[in-house]
Amino acid sequence: MEPWLSHPFDDDKLKEECGVFGAVNVQDAANFVALGLHALQHRGQEAGGIITHHAERGFQSAHRFGLVRDNFTSAKLMETLPGSIGIGHVRYSTAGSKGATAIRDVQPFFGEFSMGGAAIAHNGNITNADAIRRELIERGSIFQSSSDSECIIHLMARSIQKTHAERLKDALRRCEGAFSVIAMTRTKLIGVRDRLGVRPLVLGKIGDGYALASETCALDIIGAEFLREIEPGEMVVIDAKGVVSSRPFERVSPRFCIFEQVYFSRPDSIIGGRSVYETRRQIGVELAREAPVEADLVCPVPDSGTPAAIGYSQESGIPFAMGIIRNQYMGRTFIEPSEQIRNMGVRLKLNVNRALIEGKRVVLVDDSVVRGTTSQKIKQMILEAGAAEVHFRIASPPTTWPCFYGVDTPERSKLLAARMSEDEMRDYIGVDSLKFVSLDGLYRAAGALEGRDDSCPQFCDACFSGEYPVAPSDMIERGFELKAAE
């Protein structure tokens, strides 16, 4: 994606940084991997990579900037990736533009070990990567990228274990934070989740082969049968004989990222046996119960606000309407981005359905408020279209803390909710009312019918609560201050 296109609309959203996919024991595995990555494109639009292994030609790789459809649909390129096993990765960097990233930062990463080569693709963030990197460099490791994920390869290289899987266990036992990792050797596909299960990973069956993916929607695109989620703290090793599961990490209460339910995952994916779409619709139901308002229309901020807006409309009885239309074809530069064009901002992405909005009291439903800049612009567009009133309803609690587990979040001082009360945010955005779903309401919508268990929360909700299940040690070393104990 061109950097000017990511600002300001997309830049005011939290970004999931990665999607991973792997396939084994299938003909032309690279084609399956490319399709899987295409389905996971929402998890990273900056760059992608695929590594495969062929019995005669060995390991082959391709890493490219840009979208899957613009790179891995080329027959000429795909012919360079033969073999029946492969893994891939789509990436979004915190910088948000390819100019800030070298191609060597693009995963999967590959390493040659005494027992043969192996590649890894990682979704998440290692919160003690700085300390690990310093130690490894002092002991002679030479890093090629700026990615925390490369630490895993170097730790595997230093392990004295006899198999790739055991070396990967060794490496990941040193890593703190969040990781869903897919690795491959010449014959084996390996999937691992950290013990808290912060980031997702699922297992599917395709013919005589298997697939691992960040989300079930990536299994759907290749016609794979969804078997199950890889459990928190579990490792699976898959080859021609089948799937072998082990538990390399101590069992703890899982803390799956609740923002996957709110925004990151595709609405047609299944998480924890539950439809993401249904969870988002139910968030809207909870919002309507918690924050009713007299209005004429419920309109989503597309596309992420749509399921919640449908739920709000159904529960409140206020008609649902597409008051804002999203331009679906903004993925490519169509004209030279002059300053005048850049200043159009949100209007390049969204347009108000004026005939519908004029004279109406409108409830706008969005998934989150991060910096608040986009909310201001959308409100202004709605008012310019003649709306009588504008009421914002947000399908997540106020985002008051940064995430350190694989999500691109602004520093805390730039989070609107970290420095303003709800009333102050309402006045800043300039709307008639502003209400967020409560944390308990979000938990109920996600299937925890009794709400949040404060003594042992069922999800990771650090971006809302400031309660980090794993201390972000690198960030603390850099001066980040945790929430004071109450």
Side-chain angles (χ1 to χ4, degrees), residues 65-77:
F65 288 120
L67 302 177
V68 174
R69 70 180 185 207
D70 297 327
N71 292 299
F72 297 102
T73 51
S74 160
K76 188 175 180 181
L77 174 62

Side-chain angles (χ1 to χ4, degrees), residues 16 21 41 89 198 220 248 278 283 339 344 362 365 377 380 382 391-392 396 409 419 448 473:
E16 169 62 84
F21 190 91
Q41 190 77 84
H89 186 275
V198 177
D220 296 337
E278 178 55 28
I283 294 172
E339 189 65 29
M344 289 181 183
V362 180
V365 181
K377 291 179 171 66
Q380 189 61 36
I382 292 284
H391 302 272
F392 255 111
S396 61
T409 320
R419 63 180 198 269
S473 53

Side-chain angles (χ1 to χ4, degrees), residues 1-12 15 45 67 69-70 92 96-97 326-338 341-350 374:
M1 181 178 288
E2 306 297 338
W4 73 278
L5 283 176
S6 67
H7 178 80
F9 179 73
D10 286 336
D11 208 35
D12 200 20
K15 288 289 201 309
Q45 296 91 50
L67 302 177
R69 70 180 185 207
D70 297 327
Y92 171 86
S97 75
R326 183 180 177 108
N327 179 0
Q328 302 292 342
Y329 299 97
M330 282 301 301
R332 306 280 292 175
T333 304
F334 61 100
I335 47 177
E336 186 66 26
S338 65
I341 295 298
R342 272 192 291 265
N343 288 340
M344 289 181 183
V346 173
R347 293 177 192 276
L348 289 166
K349 298 272 187 179
L350 304 174
T374 299

Side-chain angles (χ1 to χ4, degrees), residues 111 158 165 189 208 220 260 298 378 395 426 431:
R158 290 189 167 273
L189 188 67
D208 293 328
D220 296 337
E260 290 277 357
V298 176
I378 291 172
R426 177 200 64 208
V431 289

Side-chain angles (χ1 to χ4, degrees), residues 448-465:
L449 299 183
E450 300 301 315
R452 185 181 194 263
D453 180 354
D454 293 339
S455 63
C456 184
Q458 305 93 311
F459 295 95
C460 177
D461 56 23
C463 55
F464 307 130
S465 67

Side-chain angles (χ1 to χ4, degrees), residues 117-360:
I120 65 160
H122 167 223
N123 172 211
N125 189 55
I126 298 169
T127 56
N128 63 335
D130 288 355
I132 291 174
R133 180 182 283 255
R134 280 197 305 270
E135 176 192 322
L136 288 167
I137 289 172
E138 286 171 4
R139 294 185 178 185
S141 293
I142 300 171
F143 279 76
Q144 301 296 317
S145 78
S146 62
S147 171
D148 62 320
S149 309
E150 194 184 348
C151 290
I152 300 170
I153 286 283
H154 288 283
L155 289 170
M156 287 176 68
R158 290 189 167 273
S159 171
I160 61 172
Q161 298 298 325
K162 302 301 183 187
T163 69
H164 289 103
E166 290 301 320
R167 287 190 175 206
L168 183 58
K169 287 180 185 179
D170 259 7
L172 293 177
R173 286 185 182 118
R174 290 285 316 277
C175 297
E176 299 170 3
F179 51 82
S180 281
V181 172
I182 295 179
M184 63 170 278
T185 68
R186 288 168 292 190
T187 58
K188 290 180 170 61
L189 188 67
I190 304 170
V192 197
R193 282 178 83 187
D194 68 82
R195 60 185 190 154
L196 292 173
V198 177
R199 304 257 73 85
L201 192 63
V202 298
L203 172 67
K205 187 88 168 66
I206 176 76
D208 293 328
Y210 292 88
L212 289 167
S214 291
E215 295 182 39
T216 60
C217 64
L219 301 178
D220 296 337
I221 199 173
I222 63 168
E225 175 194 359
F226 169 50
L227 296 180
R228 64 180 180 86
E229 294 183 8
I230 304 304
E231 295 181 13
E234 182 184 13
M235 172 183 278
V236 291
V237 180
I238 311 166
D239 58 17
K241 298 177 184 176
V243 182
V244 176
S245 171
S246 63
R247 288 277 185 173
F249 311 110
E250 143 192 31
R251 287 180 186 263
V252 295
S253 298
R255 296 286 293 273
F256 183 69
C257 169
I258 202 164
F259 215 84
E260 290 277 357
Q261 303 275 17
V262 173
Y263 179 68
F264 296 143
S265 295
R266 257 179 43 173
D268 51 333
S269 286
I270 305 294
I271 293 176
R274 187 178 177 86
S275 157
V276 173
Y277 172 88
E278 178 55 28
T279 294
R280 291 179 188 167
R281 190 196 69 82
Q282 194 61 38
I283 294 172
V285 170
E286 293 288 341
L287 256 176
R289 291 170 180 167
E290 293 181 353
V293 66
E294 289 188 10
D296 303 305
L297 295 175
V298 176
C299 300
V301 176
D303 292 313
S304 53
T306 302
I310 291 170
Y312 194 100
S313 170
Q314 290 171 339
E315 181 67 16
S316 66
I318 302 170
F320 173 89
M322 292 302 293
I324 302 174
I325 307 301
R326 183 180 177 108
N327 179 0
Q328 302 292 342
Y329 299 97
M330 282 301 301
R332 306 280 292 175
T333 304
F334 61 100
I335 47 177
E336 186 66 26
S338 65
E339 189 65 29
Q340 182 182 4
I341 295 298
R342 272 192 291 265
N343 288 340
M344 289 181 183
V346 173
R347 293 177 192 276
L348 289 166
K349 298 272 187 179
L350 304 174
N351 191 41
V352 176
N353 192 345
R354 184 179 295 268
L356 195 67
I357 293 295
E358 194 168 7
K360 300 294 198 306

